[in-house]
Amino acid sequence: MQKTALIPFAQLPRTHHDRHVLTSTVDVFGAAHWLLAERAPQPGGDVLPFDALVVSVHPGGNVELTELSAVRARWPHLDRLPDGGFVVAASCARRYEDANQVQVFDALGRETSSFSVGDAIEHLLVDEAGHI
């Protein structure tokens, strides 16, 4: 098993410190990812779909930006797919909505599919083969 030290590259670049961090993760390939929004989610009320920015810092230090369109999760989980896309999942299913709580985005940030997995997601992991 290879161990990777995260200290050298697991910091959000300063140019993005003006945005709110919704969630962050380190993928199976060792890249760090932050899901950013213009403002923090507000307690209560409906959440309208919003655009978000994923800032990715790869082990070599390269920074990659991906804009996601129409994210629906208020308290999201995030992970990267091997093809460069992302999976965003809402922690809880909303009973009054029929929208699916897991969204799959392609490498260009467009939603390609969505589905429901039930309530109370605690962890979201994608393996090297792209299995969630």
Side-chain angles (χ1 to χ4, degrees):
M1 178 178 183
Q2 177 185 0
K3 292 185 179 182
T4 304
L6 299 177
I7 301 293
F9 59 88
Q11 295 180 3
L12 180 65
R14 287 190 187 276
T15 57
H16 304 289
H17 282 194
D18 61 331
R19 295 193 182 205
H20 180 75
V21 177
L22 296 173
T23 191
S24 62
T25 190
V26 176
D27 68 20
V28 71
F29 301 105
H33 308 279
W34 291 266
L35 182 65
L36 306 176
E38 291 293 325
R39 58 184 173 270
Q42 300 300 313
D46 293 339
V47 174
L48 297 174
F50 60 94
D51 293 339
L53 178 67
V54 179
V55 177
S56 304
V57 179
H58 297 277
N62 296 333
V63 176
E64 180 183 356
L65 305 176
T66 307
E67 293 183 18
L68 304 183
S69 298
V71 175
R72 294 188 299 270
R74 178 187 307 222
W75 312 112
H77 294 281
L78 172 76
D79 209 351
R80 184 155 199 171
L81 296 166
D83 66 359
F86 289 93
V87 177
V88 177
S91 297
C92 298
R94 296 193 188 155
R95 296 169 202 222
Y96 53 88
E97 291 182 2
D98 61 357
N100 296 321
Q101 83 210 62
V102 179
Q103 294 176 275
V104 179
F105 295 90
D106 64 15
L108 298 175
R110 301 174 299 203
E111 183 178 338
T112 58
S113 64
S114 65
F115 53 92
S116 183
V117 294
D119 202 11
I121 295 174
E122 291 187 32
H123 305 284
L124 174 68
L125 296 172
V126 176
D127 65 15
E128 292 173 342
H131 299 115
I132 299 173

